[in-house]
Amino acid sequence: MTEPAREPFLYVVVCAAGIAAGVEELIAAAQGRGWRVGVVATPVAMGGFFDTAAVEARTGRPIRSAWRTPGDPRPFPPPDAVVVAPATFNTINKWAAGTADTLALATLCESYGLGVPVAVLPCVGGALAAHPAYRESLTRLRGMGVRFGAPYSGEPAEDGTRPDFAWHRALDLLEQAPES
């Protein structure tokens, strides 16, 4: 008798950007593609950037933002993939530098050592994106195999509307074969 196929587990890392309010769209899309989802948020993102109760209801799991104590059970299984969306200037730079001072950053740093595929949807304004440290961070992370979607600045178009954030693009990036 064969065991049923296990649904893959996706970690969604949420950073503190206004667009984070739409993260449920990513979670729903991932679940629609057969992923089980757990959310890891930066401490600042937990301060009202998205509806934590709605996200926990959708995933059926608590949002992780702080380390567990040694005796506590692991609330999520190991990840099969990680999505960082929205990914801020601060998170991208600290991650590329190997800084692991939050659970979200430690999760991202560890994903490289585990060989877990990572897709990123940056949400960085033009002035910050022009900073040389940011460009160097993108180069380093791409060299580590991280897959990036097009940057999103949130700047309004000439007609005053803001472009949609392409949440689904992160899942598309995970489905692409890695560049060699």
Side-chain angles (χ1 to χ4, degrees):
M1 181 173 207
T2 61
E3 291 186 30
R6 179 182 77 80
E7 284 182 307
F9 201 88
L10 177 68
Y11 284 16
V12 173
V13 175
V14 181
C15 301
I19 199 70
V23 73
E24 285 181 77
E25 187 177 328
L26 170 60
I27 295 165
Q31 290 170 331
R33 294 189 192 189
W35 291 93
R36 292 178 302 142
V37 179
V39 173
V40 179
T42 65
V44 177
M46 291 295 291
F49 281 85
F50 66 103
D51 185 339
T52 57
V55 165
E56 287 180 344
R58 176 164 282 288
T59 64
R61 297 177 182 278
I63 296 167
R64 298 204 55 213
S65 183
W67 281 276
R68 63 185 175 82
T69 58
D72 289 343
R74 293 184 181 273
F76 299 164
D80 293 292
V82 177
V83 166
V84 190
T88 60
F89 176 85
N90 190 48
T91 294
I92 289 169
N93 287 323
K94 289 175 93 171
W95 174 21
T99 302
D101 61 353
T102 66
L103 178 63
L105 283 163
T107 298
L108 295 174
C109 289
E110 186 177 53
S111 66
Y112 176 75
L114 295 172
V116 174
V118 180
V120 179
L121 298 180
C123 183
V124 178
L128 288 174
H131 194 285
Y134 179 72
R135 291 191 307 272
E136 291 167 11
S137 293
L138 294 178
T139 299
R140 172 174 268 180
L141 293 170
R142 283 187 179 110
M144 293 167 53
V146 175
R147 304 163 192 188
F148 282 89
Y152 178 88
S153 70
E155 295 296 320
E158 288 183 21
D159 65 0
T161 61
R162 292 194 188 275
D164 289 335
F165 190 72
W167 294 102
H168 64 87
R169 179 68 178 125
L171 302 171
D172 296 343
L173 290 166
L174 290 175
E175 293 171 358
Q176 293 175 354
E179 294 179 14
S180 43

